[in-house]
Each structure stands twice: as structure tokens, then as C-alpha cells.
Amino acid sequence: MTTTLIIFLTWAIVKALKAAKISGRYLPLIALLVGIVLSVIISVFIQDDNLILNLLVGCWSGFASTGMNKSANKSINTIVATVGNLITKGK
């Protein structure tokens, strides 16, 4: 439930900011911060002990709400592939 709430609220706030014509240059950073702040507030408010998980969800929500999730996925996949290649070469 917490994850869904963080994702929805981050998306809604960023959507409102886009409609308010916030500069596209700053929107990804603002979205990331909105996701992080919401995750902390919600975790404290409902006394959820999964703060780290909620922070990650908040970050990902910020990325997703600005369309940066594709970039983040590509970066993470590149890192995982690189580490995997290093491990297999070491064997």
C-alpha cells in the first residue's frame, strides 16, 4: 500500500508541476526530490519500518514521473552487465 501511495502522489504532483509550465530543465531534479520527500513523510506518518525501500520507491517514482525511468533502466542494466562480465572473466 505504501509503495502505491508514493508512486501515485509523486506522479500527481509532478503532473501538476508540468501543467504549471515548470522548466523541463529542472523538472527531473524536482521530481526526484518530490519522490524522496514524499517517501520519508509517508514512512514517518504511517510508522513504516521500510524506510530504505520507500526511499528507493520514491527515487524511482521521481524518475518514472518525468520519463527518466528509461534512462535509469539503461544505466542500471549497463552496470549489471559490466559487473556480470567482470565476474565471468574472473572464473
Side-chain angles (χ1 to χ4, degrees):
M1 175 66 177
T2 306
T3 302
T4 306
L5 186 60
I6 293 169
I7 292 170
F8 176 75
L9 288 176
T10 302
W11 174 81
I13 290 170
V14 171
K15 192 79 165 166
L17 291 173
K18 283 182 186 178
K21 307 262 192 260
I22 299 292
S23 172
R25 180 177 184 183
Y26 300 110
L27 199 56
L29 178 61
I30 293 169
L32 180 66
L33 294 174
V34 165
I36 291 170
V37 169
L38 280 175
S39 67
V40 170
I41 290 170
I42 290 170
S43 293
V44 170
F45 182 71
I46 66 170
Q47 298 176 350
D48 189 355
D49 58 350
N50 293 324
L51 181 60
I52 301 298
L53 173 66
N54 290 336
L55 283 172
L56 291 173
V57 169
C59 289
W60 207 258
S61 298
F63 285 140
S65 63
T66 60
M68 287 184 60
N69 60 330
K70 188 172 185 177
S71 305
N73 273 333
K74 187 174 181 180
S75 297
I76 291 170
N77 288 338
T78 302
I79 292 168
V80 169
T82 303
V83 170
N85 287 337
L86 291 173
I87 291 171
T88 57
K89 284 182 182 178
K91 289 184 176 182

